[in-house]
Amino acid sequence: MDHYVNQYVVVAIFIVLGILLPVAALTAGRLLRPHKPTDPKQTTYESGNEPVGEGQVRFNIRYYIFALMFVIFDVETVFLYPWAVAYNKLGLFVLVEMLIFAGMLLIGLLYAWKKKVLQWNSV
């Protein structure tokens, strides 16, 4: 019984520290930093130039779709690396699983290709 209670105590300590340390660091930073607001400090800063145009610029949704596609396939490639390193030790079952995994990636890529997500049209 004591063993289980000790595990909960450790978890409780980590939760308290996880909340307390960031709060203490942010509070110390707020107390120690210089705070002298002036009008030039409160203005928008664009590489030393006066801001031009609106602050809200609309971007084409294709930027976000490309970024999302990149992240998806980049993360999936990271999953392939440990498999390739330990390929000789894993056996036929894991080879079949990886082929299924790569097939699912290929299906996703073909779907994106069919929906013309990967075509870049400058608008």
Side-chain angles (χ1 to χ4, degrees):
M1 183 71 172
D2 278 343
H3 180 66
Y4 293 114
V5 173
N6 287 341
Q7 289 179 349
Y8 284 114
V9 169
V10 170
V11 170
I13 289 171
F14 273 106
I15 290 173
V16 168
L17 287 175
I19 294 170
L20 185 65
L21 289 177
V23 169
L26 290 172
T27 304
R30 179 172 279 238
L31 294 174
L32 296 175
R33 72 175 182 219
H35 183 69
K36 298 176 184 174
T38 61
D39 285 337
K41 288 182 182 179
Q42 301 295 330
T43 61
T44 306
Y45 180 76
E46 285 188 12
S47 301
N49 300 322
E50 291 294 323
V52 177
E54 296 180 20
Q56 299 291 329
V57 178
R58 290 186 174 252
F59 288 101
N60 191 341
I61 190 68
R62 293 205 182 269
Y63 292 115
Y64 301 108
I65 292 174
F66 262 71
L68 186 61
M69 293 291 291
F70 171 76
V71 167
I72 288 170
F73 285 100
D74 190 46
V75 168
E76 304 308 335
T77 305
V78 169
F79 287 135
L80 290 173
Y81 181 74
W83 172 80
V85 170
Y87 173 71
N88 289 334
K89 298 176 186 174
L90 297 176
L92 184 62
F93 178 72
V94 177
L95 174 65
V96 172
E97 283 188 354
M98 189 52 65
L99 288 175
I100 292 170
F101 178 72
M104 291 174 68
L105 283 177
L106 184 63
I107 290 170
L109 181 62
L110 292 174
Y111 177 78
W113 197 316
K114 184 178 178 183
K115 291 290 186 176
K116 299 183 180 178
V117 171
L118 302 175
Q119 290 182 357
W120 189 266
N121 300 329
S122 56
V123 177

